[in-house]
Amino acid sequence: MNGLKINRMIWIFLVSVATAVLAIISGYLQYKEKLDSTAKALNKEKELNEVYKKLQSKSDTIISSNNEILLLNEKLIIANEEIIKLQSKLEGTYSGGKSFPELKIIPLDNEKGQMVLIHHGEFPLFDISMHAVDLDIHNKIVAQRGSNQFKMDELALFSVDLQFNSLQIGNQLAIGTFISDYSSNKKSFNIFYSARNGLYIQAIRLFKKDRIWHSGTIIFNREYKEVYRSIDKELPFDLFNWNIKEK
């Protein structure tokens, strides 16, 4: 009986030991599985970090390339603007660009007015034709005749026609006298220009106050858009008709 009891106790002990060993082994296996899982997760994170680094490097390369493209594009825009400026300068040098002439008429006495042709703008003017009309005499003859049709030799009664090969930058040229009646206290002229760069029309209005002549001038391009104006403060602007279509 005692032997059986001992054997039973040994068996129980062995079973307990075996159970404990199995529990330890099971715990170890679970721990090892967790370690393996953690290691896999770490490896996966490393792989993801490597992929992220590669993507980041590619992104930096793309951004750098885009910046270089933008810089090149800016340089191309600047170069294109320079080309346009050079083309405009070349065209202006040949045609005159937006330059235009101005005529000043300075009364010398009751019969003569000194004519001075003035250049305005950045480029010389070429192939200039000028047709200057004394509106006071023109309108007086038209009122007497009831017609604005004139023979060629009659135009000299109220107009002057001149041609110039060129007018250089900053030039102010005395170009002769305009014979007319300057005995009244006001005069009106319209000037019609043709040059290589287009047509211009100028209105000149003169007013005499206390024996001193004051002038006003407005210049228009062929679309009748005003490009220049100079009015003496002593000139009564509303006293005059500024119509520029009288030839």
Side-chain angles (χ1 to χ4, degrees):
M1 291 295 291
N2 290 332
L4 288 173
K5 186 179 288 187
I6 291 170
N7 288 335
R8 185 177 179 187
M9 290 179 63
I10 293 171
W11 177 251
I12 291 171
F13 173 75
L14 291 174
V15 170
S16 299
V17 170
T19 300
V21 169
L22 289 174
I24 291 170
I25 293 172
S26 176
Y28 170 75
L29 291 176
Q30 289 178 3
Y31 175 72
K32 186 175 183 302
E33 185 178 355
K34 286 183 179 180
L35 285 177
D36 291 342
S37 177
T38 302
K40 288 180 180 179
L42 289 173
N43 288 334
K44 189 68 175 177
E45 186 175 351
K46 283 183 179 180
E47 291 177 3
L48 290 174
N49 284 335
E50 290 299 321
V51 171
Y52 173 77
K53 288 179 181 179
K54 289 179 180 180
L55 290 174
Q56 185 67 38
S57 177
K58 289 182 179 180
S59 176
D60 292 341
T61 302
I62 292 170
I63 291 171
S64 177
S65 298
N66 284 339
N67 289 336
E68 290 177 4
I69 291 170
L70 289 172
L71 184 60
L72 287 172
N73 192 46
E74 288 177 0
K75 289 181 178 179
L76 286 173
I77 290 172
I78 293 171
N80 188 52
E81 289 175 350
E82 289 297 322
I83 290 170
I84 291 172
K85 287 179 182 178
L86 287 173
Q87 287 178 337
S88 177
K89 188 172 182 179
L90 286 172
E91 291 173 2
T93 301
Y94 170 76
S95 69
K98 295 183 179 180
S99 297
F100 57 89
E102 176 195 2
L103 182 68
K104 282 189 177 294
I105 299 177
I106 306 166
L108 302 175
D109 53 35
N110 287 342
E111 297 179 351
K112 297 187 297 294
Q114 176 68 56
M115 292 189 295
V116 178
L117 192 62
I118 300 171
H119 176 279
H120 291 273
E122 298 179 358
F123 302 101
L125 290 164
F126 301 98
D127 304 328
I128 307 159
S129 294
M130 184 188 81
H131 176 62
V133 179
D134 183 326
L135 294 178
D136 300 306
I137 297 177
H138 172 274
N139 294 340
K140 183 178 179 180
I141 295 174
V142 169
Q144 290 173 349
R145 291 186 178 183
S147 170
N148 61 355
Q149 301 299 316
F150 300 94
K151 297 178 182 179
M152 290 298 295
D153 59 346
E154 293 177 322
L155 295 177
L157 297 173
F158 56 83
S159 66
V160 172
D161 290 276
L162 295 172
Q163 287 79 39
F164 308 90
N165 291 329
S166 66
L167 184 63
Q168 298 301 314
I169 299 172
N171 274 178
Q172 296 189 30
L173 304 179
I175 57 173
T177 56
F178 198 127
I179 305 301
S180 184
D181 179 11
Y182 297 93
S183 62
S184 65
N185 65 346
K186 68 188 188 78
K187 290 291 293 181
S188 296
F189 301 87
N190 280 353
I191 319 299
F192 301 85
Y193 303 98
S194 171
R196 194 181 289 176
N197 65 338
L199 305 176
Y200 290 93
I201 309 169
Q202 177 185 358
I204 300 175
R205 304 295 183 260
L206 303 176
F207 179 73
K208 184 166 60 175
K209 180 180 179 182
D210 298 329
R211 298 183 179 181
I212 298 174
W213 285 97
H214 303 278
S215 66
T217 189
I218 304 176
I219 300 175
F220 303 84
N221 61 18
R222 67 185 304 164
E223 287 81 28
Y224 299 106
K225 180 180 179 181
E226 184 177 321
V227 297
Y228 179 78
R229 174 184 292 227
S230 177
I231 310 292
D232 287 354
K233 63 180 182 179
E234 295 293 335
L235 184 132
F237 188 89
D238 295 334
L239 180 65
F240 293 92
N241 176 3
W242 291 87
N243 176 27
I244 57 171
K245 298 183 180 180
E246 291 289 351
K247 295 186 178 182

